[in-house]
Amino acid sequence: MFPSRRVFTEVLRQTNNGYRTSPLKIEFRRATWTCPQCLRLRLCERPLGQKRFASTNAAEEKEFRSILDEPPRLVRMRRKHNYGGLIVLALIPLTAFALGTWQVQRLGWKTDLMARFEDRLVRPPLPLPLFIDPDAVKDFDYRRVYATGKLRHDQEMLVGPRIHDGDDGYLVITPLEREEMDDRGRMRKSKVLVCRGWISKKFRNQRERLKEGGQQALPDELVTVQGLLRQPWKKNMFTPLNKPEKGEWYFPAVSEMAEFVGSQPVWVEETMQPDLRETYFREARGIPIGRAAEVNLRNNHLQYIFTWYGLAVATSFMFWLVVRKPPSDIARRVRQSKSW
């Protein structure tokens, strides 16, 4: 028996007189394996009359070309980026840079304003005139003043709720009534609004304050109030409207409150020396806790400057990467050189 995977072939030689059978010559050679599917396709394309298993080597066929002879090639599409999207992306770093520049200007303005207020605080207090022009208050903002008169507790207004050290409470607004004799011997009266300070929510009723704090909580004699002359507060869009007829004040609207009690639209914030023991003493007895004589304006513009400029740098780098990189979905595609 012959070895496996070998074939037996008989070689015929042609002579001058015709064909004759030569002595048998036996060759042993290894068979070439061919994919059955490829072999079937070649057999279907073979012309009529050709022998079925004429050749087992695909390279012997003249018109056969492999995919290795004509490989596919990568081509770059000529489509560009969407200009509308690039314009929108370019506006982000430009807007951030503009906002950072605006915050630089705001920082300079806030620094000068705080320096001007600090200069007014170190000056000695001024006596508050009986009648004050409301338009001139802005030139004396954070100026220390004092006034003598009688507190009208019957016209007291509570603004709140307000938080102090984590506790709910109210700001006590009491008109200060003053009297003065003019040159003709006539008595003139006027009122200004005095923010006496903060009280706890449990002392909303004046009786509770009078019971615990006595005359210190609700003085009925002439008192001298020393504090800061301040400009009217500005209301934001999230603060609800006041309801004077119900005694509900959510925001210290100076003009509205002055009209309600018949006072001048002048706002004075009573001050006290910062003392922890005095603060606890007043809080426990319902005595209003005044504010410290200092400038309490927020100045976060330097943080905003770093934030906006950092965002401008980051978005500029991202925009450069987007412009530099071709469109991801159509940048390169495989294009075959022949349809198989």
Side-chain angles (χ1 to χ4, degrees), residues 23-181:
L24 293 177
K25 183 177 181 181
I26 301 175
E27 293 184 358
F28 294 94
R29 65 179 180 180
R30 188 175 299 276
T32 303
W33 183 85
T34 305
C35 174
Q37 183 176 3
C38 296
L39 183 61
R40 184 167 56 254
L41 292 176
R42 290 200 303 272
L43 290 176
C44 294
E45 296 177 357
R46 192 179 305 276
L48 295 176
Q50 191 174 357
K51 295 183 178 181
R52 182 173 181 180
F53 296 98
S55 176
T56 59
N57 190 0
E60 294 179 359
E61 298 183 5
K62 296 182 180 180
E63 296 183 357
F64 176 78
R65 296 186 63 83
S66 172
I67 192 173
L68 300 178
D69 299 330
E70 297 182 2
R73 49 195 176 93
L74 297 179
V75 295
R76 183 182 297 275
M77 308 300 291
R78 300 193 176 276
R79 188 173 178 181
K80 299 181 180 180
H81 289 280
N82 185 5
Y83 290 106
L86 293 180
I87 292 175
V88 174
L89 291 179
L91 290 177
I92 298 177
L94 293 177
T95 304
F97 181 80
L99 291 175
T101 305
W102 177 63
Q103 288 298 328
V104 171
Q105 300 176 358
R106 293 279 296 177
L107 177 62
W109 168 79
K110 184 62 72 64
T111 303
D112 295 340
L113 182 64
M114 296 180 65
R116 186 163 60 251
F117 290 162
E118 292 287 351
D119 179 67
R120 295 174 183 175
L121 284 177
V122 299
R123 296 182 182 182
L126 294 174
L128 191 66
L130 188 63
F131 295 96
I132 304 169
D133 184 8
D135 297 333
V137 173
K138 62 180 181 181
D139 297 329
F140 293 89
D141 198 9
Y142 275 95
R143 190 70 166 87
R144 296 170 58 193
V145 296
Y146 65 90
T148 302
K150 185 177 180 180
L151 293 172
R152 295 289 304 271
H153 301 293
D154 57 328
Q155 297 180 342
E156 179 183 270
M157 293 168 286
L158 299 179
V159 179
R162 289 292 188 272
I163 305 298
H164 178 74
D165 292 339
D167 296 331
D168 291 339
Y170 300 93
L171 292 178
V172 181
I173 314 300
T174 307
L176 179 67
E177 188 176 53
R178 298 182 296 162
E179 298 179 339
E180 186 179 84
M181 192 74 69

